Amino acid sequence: MGIAGRVVIVTGASSGIGEAVALRLAREGAAVVLGARRAERLDDLVARIAGEGGAVAARACDVTRRADLESLAALAIERFGRIDAIVNNAGVMPISRLDVFDVDGWDRTIDTNIKGVLYAIAAVLPQMKRQRGGHIISIASVAGHKINGGSAVYAASKYAVRVISEALRQEVTADGIRVTVISPGATESELFGKIHDPASQKRLEGASEIALPADSVARAILYAMNEPDAVDINEIVIRPQAQEM
């Protein structure tokens, strides 16, 4: 019970929810092992956490490459001796209508949002089974609950995260491993700025104005982690109060 002393991997840690989670966990006394593609941003975050007295390690990590996640898990064991939790946060959101035919965007979404979560599970699960405990936390989305035209592939990827997580939960119950899905609504993030389809940009106008602070999602994650080991918070949906979807 509690966060202090736990060893937690966070992917996509260089900005947004991942950065907020890393800071929250470190300030609660966890040892954080951070992965992200942007090494410079990652270095800045490591320096910030270490400057506050936190225990931290980091390695450049692209979740579309299985070897990168295996390396991140190995770093956690090398530096801190165990893996108590992972927050699968890395994700992309290149949304558009299917008839825009953004096939490259579809591939990127599937590789990052689905295969990246599977690769992360494969990287940490053997260690958690050996420990007879752990916590696998994955970021989905309200888009995986309520489908809207214009976000088919993104919504499918986040629904897949929920399906994978529920199947995993059933498979690892006997191993003492907990599984949690966090499904945020509009949240402060760089993802909005990376939508290049004009129709999708217009459809999401105003979302940034009501967006949750990333730290709100971080606090939801800490709530799930803070419960006693015998309590498994399986899913949390968190939205801005003003968001209808």
Side-chain angles (χ1 to χ4, degrees), residues 126-140:
Q127 177 65 25
M128 290 183 176
K129 281 178 170 283
R130 284 191 291 270
Q131 295 168 183
R132 301 293 298 171
H135 199 164
I136 296 173
I137 302 164
S138 299
I139 304 298

Side-chain angles (χ1 to χ4, degrees), residues 13-14 19 23 34 38-51 56 58:
S14 62
E19 180 181 13
L23 289 167
L34 310 180
R38 293 176 293 184
E40 289 184 4
R41 292 282 294 271
L42 203 55
D43 290 343
D44 290 343
L45 180 57
V46 168
R48 185 176 173 188
I49 290 171
V56 59

Side-chain angles (χ1 to χ4, degrees), residues 33-161:
V33 181
L34 310 180
R37 290 179 299 173
R38 293 176 293 184
E40 289 184 4
R41 292 282 294 271
L42 203 55
D43 290 343
D44 290 343
L45 180 57
V46 168
R48 185 176 173 188
I49 290 171
E52 296 179 1
V56 59
R59 184 163 288 170
C61 176
D62 182 342
V63 299
T64 67
R65 296 198 288 255
R66 184 178 177 184
D68 283 13
L69 283 158
E70 291 173 344
S71 178
L72 195 63
L75 176 64
I77 296 167
E78 174 190 327
R79 288 289 300 275
F80 302 112
R82 57 188 292 114
I83 301 170
D84 294 305
I86 184 169
V87 180
N88 292 316
N89 167 71
V92 296
M93 191 176 70
I95 62 175
S96 62
R97 287 169 53 98
L98 291 171
D99 56 12
V100 172
F101 303 113
D102 180 17
V103 179
D104 289 342
W106 301 348
D107 287 341
R108 202 159 61 250
T109 301
I110 292 166
D111 288 346
T112 304
N113 295 2
I114 301 178
K115 291 168 70 175
V117 169
L118 290 168
Y119 291 162
I121 292 169
V124 303
L125 192 54
Q127 177 65 25
M128 290 183 176
K129 281 178 170 283
R130 284 191 291 270
Q131 295 168 183
R132 301 293 298 171
H135 199 164
I136 296 173
I137 302 164
S138 299
I139 304 298
S141 170
V142 295
H145 291 258
K146 183 176 180 180
I147 312 306
N148 284 290
S151 59
V153 179
Y154 175 71
S157 75
K158 292 305 186 178
Y159 187 74
V161 170

